[in-house]
Amino acid sequence: MAEILQKDGTWTFDGETIRIVPGRERGVHLLRQTLGELAVPLSAVAGIAYEPGRKSGRLRLRLRDGADPLLQVARGRLPDAADPYQLTVDSDRAGVAEYVVDEVRNALLLDQVPDGPTDRYLLPGPTLPLSVGAGDGTVTFDGERIRLEWNWKTEEGKKSAGPQSLPLEDVRAVEWLPAAGLENGYLRFTVLREPTKAPPKHDPHAIELFGFKKDPLMAMVGAAVVARLPHPAGAGTRDSAPSLAKAPAVTAAPAPEEAPDHDALLRRLRELGELHRAGILTEDEFTAAKQAVLKRF
């Protein structure tokens, strides 16, 4: 087994899976902390490299094109700090990082893992339910339905249409674009029978983003939806979507080995309560999810 522990996070490789656990330091990006632990199968890996630096180096994992729904949505637009497949390595741990690289590369050669694109998602995407508020609204996804609700920053015409509820089967595509310079970003859902060319500010199926801290979390919501749509390189039908589309909407994230972050757990309880009050979670789903969180205190 190869393992490297850093303030930025921990990577462990057992010959079949690379487990990535984000660090709990204040400087660790919100997106990585919210995603939590990732289990990357060797079959999803295209390559790995360590890049040394003067004060610290960087360990980079490169996934096969189409293997991860988050990377499918982000399309290379995530900032380095938010990229879960990068790890900052202290200079005195460079030897450990190089050992991890050698172990993963040897396994890729032995298993003859191709580095080309894949026609199915090899990672399941973020756990559900998800609810993120950023920009001019809040988007919630439970595995079957996407709900968009507006706030005081929403343009009046868009707000007047009221909250939007989109069944997953009506969604044909998801697009996330971060804000850049003076241009706002967005998370947009392309809906069957209701196509629109309206800008995100006026599109009732889009959240407009203003370049704030939580914007990358919208990419995570987009990834959860994309993971349940047909793969772009697949057969093109919903029957080709991964089997997780039929998985229960409420799942408990695997508990990391370190002591739990109580503030994060409290936020999770509040989010579950909001989803329950909104009618998105049933009483049984809410109780099960709440108990899973309480066990981690």
Side-chain angles (χ1 to χ4, degrees):
M1 177 177 291
E3 184 177 55
I4 181 166
L5 293 80
Q6 294 289 276
K7 292 180 180 179
D8 197 33
T10 299
W11 287 19
T12 306
F13 178 56
D14 62 4
E16 297 180 353
T17 303
I18 301 170
R19 297 196 177 276
I20 299 175
V21 179
R24 297 190 174 278
E25 300 291 327
R26 180 174 295 180
V28 177
H29 197 280
L30 179 62
L31 173 60
R32 292 174 54 207
Q33 292 185 339
T34 306
L35 276 173
E37 180 179 335
L38 299 177
V40 183
L42 188 65
S43 59
V45 178
I48 187 172
Y50 172 66
E51 303 167 355
R54 182 177 300 177
K55 293 184 178 180
S56 62
R58 191 171 295 275
L59 194 57
R60 292 182 186 266
L61 190 65
R62 183 167 60 88
L63 269 56
R64 296 171 63 191
D65 187 30
D68 180 18
L70 175 62
L71 298 185
Q72 187 75 25
V73 168
R75 296 185 181 277
R77 301 184 183 112
L78 285 177
D80 284 350
D83 188 341
Y85 304 115
Q86 296 188 32
L87 180 71
T88 301
V89 178
D90 294 338
S91 57
D92 63 350
R93 305 297 288 171
V96 180
E98 290 169 351
Y99 173 69
V100 172
V101 169
D102 288 342
E103 289 293 294
V104 174
R105 285 179 176 173
N106 289 338
L108 289 170
L109 288 173
L110 288 172
D111 288 10
Q112 297 184 335
V113 177
D115 62 1
T118 174
D119 61 358
R120 63 189 181 93
Y121 293 121
L122 302 177
L123 281 86
T127 54
L128 298 179
L130 274 175
S131 183
V132 175
D136 69 349
T138 297
V139 59
T140 302
F141 181 52
D142 63 1
E144 297 181 355
R145 189 171 290 272
I146 302 160
R147 183 174 175 83
L148 297 98
E149 299 175 276
W150 314 119
N151 58 34
W152 63 274
K153 291 173 281 189
T154 310
E155 187 271 337
E156 280 303 319
K158 181 175 172 179
K159 184 185 293 186
S160 65
Q164 302 293 303
S165 183
L166 310 176
L168 182 63
E169 57 266 25
D170 287 353
V171 177
R172 287 297 171 265
V174 181
E175 186 179 4
W176 174 76
L177 182 71
L182 299 178
E183 296 293 327
N184 290 338
Y186 57 85
L187 174 68
R188 189 199 303 271
F189 301 97
T190 301
V191 179
L192 184 68
R193 296 186 298 274
E194 295 184 56
T196 177
K197 294 184 179 180
K201 180 177 182 178
H202 303 287
D203 185 352
H205 300 150
I207 300 288
E208 186 178 31
L209 303 174
F210 306 129
F212 297 136
K213 184 178 180 180
K214 287 189 176 181
D215 285 8
L217 297 185
M218 287 293 182
M220 186 176 68
V221 178
V225 175
V226 162
R228 289 155 177 83
L229 298 179
H231 193 283
T237 65
R238 287 194 174 273
D239 291 339
S240 67
S243 60
L244 58 84
K246 299 179 182 179
V250 179
T251 57
E257 295 180 357
E258 306 96 277
D261 182 337
H262 288 177
D263 288 340
L265 295 179
L266 288 171
R267 287 196 299 272
R268 180 64 170 160
L269 286 174
R270 286 196 293 269
E271 290 172 356
L272 290 172
E274 291 170 1
L275 292 171
H276 180 236
R277 287 191 293 275
I280 295 170
L281 294 182
T282 66
E283 186 66 34
D284 289 342
E285 290 172 336
F286 171 67
T287 301
K290 182 176 69 172
Q291 289 301 321
V293 175
L294 290 175
K295 286 180 181 178
R296 298 182 58 193
F297 273 91

